Amino acid sequence: MGDSQKFHLGTIGALSLSVVSSVSIVICNKALISTLGFTFATTLTSWHLLVTFCSLHIALWMKFFEHKPFDASSVMGFGILNGISIGLLNLSLGFNSVGFYQMTKLAIIPCTVLLETLFFRKKFSRSVQFSLTILILGVGVATVTDLQLNALGSFLSLLAVLTTCVAQIMTNTIQKKFKVSSTQLLYQSCPYQAITLFIVGPFLDGLLTNQNVFAFAYTPQVLFFIVLSCLISVSVNFSTFLVIGKTSAVTYQVLGHLKTCLVLAFGYILLRDPFSWRNILGILIAVVGMVLYSYYCTLDSQRKANEGSQQLPQTKESEADPLLGVENGSGMLGEDSKVPVWNSNKDLHA
């Protein structure tokens, strides 16, 4: 099996793990929050990250992966930023209507595309942009109901979108820049994310729910679902870093909207949630957008591969006679020919 085939199988496995684990944890958390009344989402997320770190520490002790320390300031900044983005998303939900919160999540894709285009010189073909537009339209039709605006909620949503985009782009670029695996990055950043959310979590949850997480009545049933949610979160956090590392932040957001559609479908089938023709139409439009996105990314990937194979013989020919290369001005790279270290076109492998 060639390297290309192994890469694509690994990507498919990461995408599948992310979908299954994310849908599972949403169903589990819905039972915990809606049925059992445990509404402390930010504090619960800090417990998720703490359990994830402990699980990875055990995996490291059993030598399932190798610890690779790298720039401590980058890890700390990345971990804290991730924790802040989670807290801001929860605040956005608390201070906005559900419909406006869904619009906030939809805004992450175009914002990510804009940031990667401006700062990383990443190019998205018109076809890929068109497919993303269809996807966003479909998810919007399926999930957005009301749009009640307020100044504070809008400001929090803007901060949530920006921090989430930057954090997810950093997940990809840090892995490439420091040549670390998704597991190594998650292991080192988890403590900072967990500490950030553990400090601000009880305060944010108290602000949004007017309840104290430490005064909650922890029945055996509540404890069971908390433990189950924490165990599933290990897979969710691992697959998130794995998917972004193998593809890109945009592809991860596309996958996230697929999960949204699946959660709506499972909610109707398993939990008998209300479902309308608008939901069905939106999901169908979103699926069309996802299929087109995958198709166009595959075409772009093949085109890039063909261009690379055509340029390879020319490179070898110039390497065979270094003097000739110098005479033709190709013996060294000029300042204008430098490629940014953090530039990534991994979307083409989705």
Side-chain angles (χ1 to χ4, degrees):
M1 185 179 294
D3 292 338
S4 177
Q5 288 179 310
K6 289 181 180 178
F7 175 82
H8 287 299
L9 285 176
T11 303
I12 292 172
L15 294 173
S16 302
L17 178 63
S18 179
V19 170
V20 172
S21 57
S22 296
V23 173
S24 300
I25 200 169
V26 167
I27 294 174
C28 177
N29 288 348
K30 185 167 185 177
L32 185 61
I33 294 173
S34 301
T35 306
L36 300 175
F38 187 86
T39 55
F40 311 103
T42 308
T43 304
L44 180 63
T45 304
S46 71
W47 297 345
H48 287 171
L49 290 164
L50 181 60
V51 172
T52 298
F53 174 73
C54 293
S55 301
L56 289 176
H57 193 70
I58 294 173
L60 177 65
W61 178 70
M62 298 177 68
K63 298 183 178 179
F64 284 127
F65 71 96
E66 181 182 352
H67 180 46
K68 184 180 179 180
F70 58 98
D71 187 32
S73 60
S74 296
V75 177
M76 181 183 298
F78 169 70
I80 294 174
L81 180 63
N82 253 317
I84 291 173
S85 71
I86 294 171
L88 285 172
L89 280 171
N90 288 338
L91 277 175
S92 174
L93 178 58
F95 283 90
N96 290 299
S97 64
V98 174
F100 190 82
Y101 173 72
Q102 291 295 339
M103 287 295 295
T104 299
K105 292 172 66 178
L106 291 177
I108 293 175
I109 283 185
C111 182
T112 303
V113 171
L114 179 63
L115 290 177
E116 291 194 324
T117 301
L118 291 177
F119 297 102
F120 297 95
R121 299 178 184 177
K122 186 171 181 178
K123 296 181 179 179
F124 296 86
S125 67
R126 292 289 180 87
S127 301
V128 169
Q129 293 176 26
F130 172 70
S131 63
L132 289 174
T133 302
I134 294 178
L135 167 66
I136 293 172
L137 174 65
V139 177
V141 170
T143 60
V144 177
T145 52
D146 58 321
L147 288 177
Q148 299 174 8
L149 303 179
N150 66 82
L152 179 58
S154 300
F155 178 69
L156 290 172
S157 294
L158 176 63
L159 290 180
V161 169
L162 290 175
T163 54
T164 300
C165 291
V166 173
Q168 291 183 356
I169 292 173
M170 286 180 66
T171 303
N172 181 281
T173 54
I174 285 178
Q175 291 184 52
K176 301 298 180 293
K177 181 179 180 181
F178 296 104
K179 294 181 173 59
V180 293
S181 68
S182 55
T183 310
Q184 291 167 333
L185 177 59
L186 180 60
Y187 175 71
Q188 295 185 64
S189 63
C190 249
Y192 299 108
Q193 296 182 60
I195 291 172
T196 301
L197 291 177
F198 191 78
I199 292 173
V200 304
F203 170 75
L204 289 183
D205 290 334
L207 178 66
L208 296 173
T209 65
N210 294 320
Q211 297 181 50
N212 186 348
V213 63
F214 301 110
F216 188 79
Y218 290 91
T219 64
Q221 192 175 12
V222 170
L223 291 175
F224 170 79
F225 276 98
I226 288 176
V227 172
L228 180 61
S229 178
C230 289
L231 293 176
I232 299 175
S233 73
V234 177
S235 177
V236 173
N237 291 324
F238 173 73
S239 61
T240 296
F241 279 59
L242 191 61
V243 166
I244 297 177
K246 285 185 172 292
T247 57
S248 71
V250 174
T251 298
Y252 175 71
Q253 284 299 322
V254 171
L255 187 69
H257 292 312
L258 170 61
K259 299 172 196 173
T260 300
C261 294
L262 289 175
V263 167
L264 287 174
F266 278 116
Y268 172 71
I269 296 170
L270 300 178
L271 305 175
R272 298 300 176 187
D273 286 345
F275 212 65
S276 66
W277 285 106
R278 176 178 172 175
N279 299 129
I280 297 174
L281 177 62
I283 289 174
L284 291 176
I285 295 174
V287 169
V288 170
M290 293 172 204
V291 172
L292 289 175
Y293 176 78
S294 300
Y295 174 71
Y296 289 135
C297 283
T298 302
L299 288 183
D300 286 351
S301 178
Q302 292 173 350
R303 179 176 57 81
K304 290 290 185 181
N306 291 335
E307 290 177 357
S309 62
Q310 290 174 1
Q311 293 174 359
L312 188 59
Q314 299 176 3
T315 305
K316 288 185 176 180
E317 184 178 348
S318 63
E319 287 176 351
D321 192 347
L323 294 177
L324 182 63
V326 171
E327 289 176 358
N328 291 333
S330 60
M332 64 180 67
L333 287 175
E335 288 298 321
D336 294 335
S337 302
K338 290 183 180 179
V339 180
V341 176
W342 282 19
N343 192 18
S344 172
N345 283 321
K346 297 299 288 183
D347 249 330
L348 305 181
H349 296 292

